[in-house]
Amino acid sequence: MTSQDFEDGLAAMETAARQAIAYRRDVAAAETTPVATYRQMLAAFDAPLPEGPGAPGEIIDDLITRATPGVRAATGPRFFGWVIGNSHPTGVAADWLASAWGQNVGNLTSAPAASAIETVAANWLLEILDLPREASVGYVTGATVANFVCLAAARSEVLARVGWDVEADGLIGAPPIRVLIGADAHATVFSGLKYLGLGTRRVVTVETDDLGRMLPSAFERAIKSGEGPVIAIAQAGQINTGASDPFDQIAPMAKAAGAWLHVDGAFGLWARAAPTRFDQLTGVDQADSWATDGHKWLQTPYDCGFAIVRDAEAHRRAMAISASYLPPAQGADREPSAYVPELSRRARGLGTWAMLRQYGRSGIAELVERGCRIARDMATALSHEPGIELVAEVVLNQFMVRFGDDDAATLATVERIQTDGVAFIGAATWRGLWVMRVSVSSAATTERDGEISIAAVLSAWRAVREP
Ligand SMILES: Cc1ncc(COP(=O)(O)O)c(C=O)c1O
């Protein structure tokens, strides 16, 4: 790289920063959120592989010009699709530094500051979620990988207890592991089972209630109906209803059966941080591992999730990497790569540390409470309209409604809302029927945005009902 290239690259960093700030101002104030399609974007970017070097300024200008029409306004105030946080500006700023500093958090020597920050933020996380303080925390890309990592620790430990070393000997010939899972578990938990050789079809499915919570009696039957190593997978925050499993009832049963209890709490675990929601998760701290996200309720930028394991030794056994060229951590120092699947990675923890400082305990509590309040108010207002049915009680920040008598009306209404662009809301199926599913998980959403969005939904539904 010539010194000119270097200076041009720095100028491109400035351009990107200026554009990013302008974008966030625009998207926060935008009345509608139209976005180009994937196909349109493919056409905008379609080009042959460059034969030689490019100029930094041109590359970044070109990226901004071509991409902006296809940037989904996920950080906007009326985005209720999936479960998406706001990529809060403070978290983004910390994340920029993570990239600019080019730190590889593969070991303590290669990234002293980032490693120390991750240690401190890990302790803060355990405190705010009120989980066992001795638990280990791995900074992963999201809850999918957090589930995988936690289940790897679970697999290691339940097999170790029957004398099998899965890290050394693999699964071939290993004692079979029974896996219990709620009927309304999130799809990504099955990814973890798939990666770990535990199979998605071999699970024992535990019956759930109308909010998707495991029935304690069904859990008891399932856990008592076999022998040998068991992993039970529960969840905090069902993706459609926001409801959590009855941990206070199932955790003692899991313990009595010698099972490892894992909790997928991608967003729902954050209810622990809000005093009025805390009760929904009573007993969750009795589990053995927890998966959660930073990029949902904590509002960090992507990629940010946490694999939290009570038995740090099992966590390390499943994940640690050693090689002669990697300096080992001294004494009790926390080796950042010992809790995640990868060696080289970016300083993911910076965004977490920054967001925990940004909000603090009271700020996060308020954020969770506000999301829940807006969700409840939106659901209540919509359910007063003829033809709109609230599908399940609203217990957290997620809710579902159906329009008219058939799936077609619901899908048409959702499509209409998306086309109108005042708010973004998606569809899902629940108990075999299509619903509109709303997730209030962004720090940008205010009560006023809730009201504007109610009006947008009603207008779309009336247009579908009376074309
Ligand atoms: C309950 C639950 N588990 C797991 C996931 C997967 O999380 P991620 O997309 O961050 O990997 C989600 C995502 O919404 C979720 O809601």
Side-chain angles (χ1 to χ4, degrees):
M1 179 165 52
T2 65
S3 61
Q4 190 55 51
D5 282 347
F6 180 67
E7 286 305 321
D8 290 350
L10 295 181
M13 284 170 76
E14 273 193 55
T15 306
R18 262 199 313 277
Q19 195 284 335
I21 293 163
Y23 170 80
R24 291 300 293 263
R25 282 220 169 85
D26 289 350
V27 91
E31 290 300 314
T32 58
T33 64
V35 76
T37 63
Y38 164 73
R39 289 291 170 89
Q40 288 165 331
M41 283 291 102
L42 206 53
F45 278 94
D46 189 27
L49 170 70
E51 289 298 336
E58 262 175 48
I59 296 166
I60 297 305
D61 283 345
D62 192 33
L63 175 62
I64 292 167
T65 310
R66 293 200 216 187
T68 302
V71 177
R72 170 72 67 202
T75 60
R78 292 185 296 281
F79 189 86
F80 303 102
W82 305 286
V83 187
I84 286 194
N86 176 245
S87 289
H88 189 289
T90 308
V92 173
D95 210 51
W96 279 350
L97 290 171
S99 292
W101 287 339
Q103 298 294 280
N104 177 352
V105 197
N107 67 76
L108 299 179
T109 312
S110 68
S115 302
I117 290 166
E118 291 194 355
T119 301
V120 170
N123 292 335
W124 289 353
L125 276 171
L126 296 176
E127 205 175 315
I128 199 155
L129 297 172
D130 197 14
L131 294 176
R133 305 302 192 266
E134 74 274 18
S136 47
V137 179
Y139 289 83
V140 292
T141 52
T144 305
V145 176
N147 280 323
F148 159 67
V149 170
C150 291
L151 292 172
R155 183 185 69 162
S156 176
E157 181 58 21
V158 297
L159 286 178
R161 286 182 199 153
V162 290
W164 189 268
D165 180 347
V166 72
E167 279 75 35
D169 297 324
L171 272 186
I172 298 169
I177 299 175
R178 278 191 306 139
V179 176
L180 271 52
I181 190 163
D184 292 299
H186 195 267
T188 58
V189 179
F190 291 92
S191 306
L193 295 175
K194 195 162 72 171
Y195 310 152
L196 288 162
L198 295 173
T200 57
R201 231 186 346 234
R202 299 181 68 252
V203 297
V204 178
T205 305
V206 178
E207 204 186 324
T208 50
D209 66 11
D210 54 356
L211 285 172
R213 298 173 295 205
M214 282 196 270
L215 295 170
S217 54
F219 185 83
E220 185 174 26
R221 262 196 314 280
I223 206 149
K224 287 186 171 164
S225 68
E227 296 191 330
V230 188
I231 299 172
I233 302 176
Q235 80 184 336
Q238 207 284 331
I239 186 74
N240 295 316
T241 67
S244 296
D245 285 322
F247 303 110
D248 51 343
Q249 295 176 71
I250 63 173
M253 293 185 219
K255 195 171 178 126
W260 178 292
L261 180 62
H262 169 65
V263 178
D264 172 14
F267 63 95
L269 202 56
W270 290 88
R272 285 287 273 184
T276 67
R277 310 282 152 175
F278 191 87
D279 284 356
Q280 291 186 20
L281 299 188
T282 305
V284 75
D285 53 327
Q286 294 174 43
D288 297 289
S289 57
W290 305 262
T292 192
D293 268 320
H295 55 222
K296 291 187 168 69
W297 240 335
L298 186 57
Q299 317 290 321
T300 68
Y302 290 92
D303 308 319
C304 185
F306 314 108
I308 306 174
V309 181
R310 179 192 295 275
D311 180 348
E313 185 48 43
H315 196 167
R316 282 192 290 271
R317 236 181 11 244
M319 292 292 137
I321 302 167
S322 66
S324 61
Y325 74 98
L326 299 172
Q330 300 298 309
D333 288 352
R334 177 185 177 277
E335 183 65 77
S337 64
Y339 306 99
V340 295
E342 66 275 75
L343 177 60
S344 296
R345 66 172 173 89
R346 68 202 307 279
R348 269 180 214 130
L350 266 58
T352 301
W353 176 83
M355 290 313 300
L356 287 169
R357 280 196 60 176
Q358 169 72 47
Y359 283 115
R361 206 189 288 277
S362 62
I364 291 181
E366 190 336 84
L367 187 64
V368 171
E369 302 283 1
R370 179 154 47 97
C372 297
R373 222 171 33 239
I374 295 172
R376 184 205 55 207
D377 292 350
M378 286 177 72
T380 306
L382 292 177
S383 67
H384 290 147
E385 173 75 7
I388 303 184
E389 177 204 354
L390 182 59
V391 174
E393 184 195 347
V394 186
V395 293
L396 205 66
N397 63 323
Q398 311 279 112
F399 73 89
M400 298 174 279
V401 293
R402 248 174 91 72
F403 300 88
D405 299 328
D406 56 13
D407 283 352
T410 296
L411 291 172
T413 308
V414 170
E415 194 183 339
R416 180 87 193 211
I417 295 164
Q418 291 185 4
T419 311
D420 292 347
V422 173
F424 183 91
I425 310 182
T429 57
W430 177 250
R431 305 293 186 243
L433 299 173
W434 280 99
V435 296
M436 178 182 87
R437 197 197 58 203
V438 178
S439 173
V440 188
S441 38
S442 169
T445 305
T446 62
E447 266 88 357
R448 179 78 192 121
D449 292 306
E451 288 161 15
I452 295 171
S453 306
I454 292 167
V457 173
L458 291 178
S459 145
W461 164 231
R462 286 168 191 158
V464 168
R465 192 179 58 192
E466 296 132 26

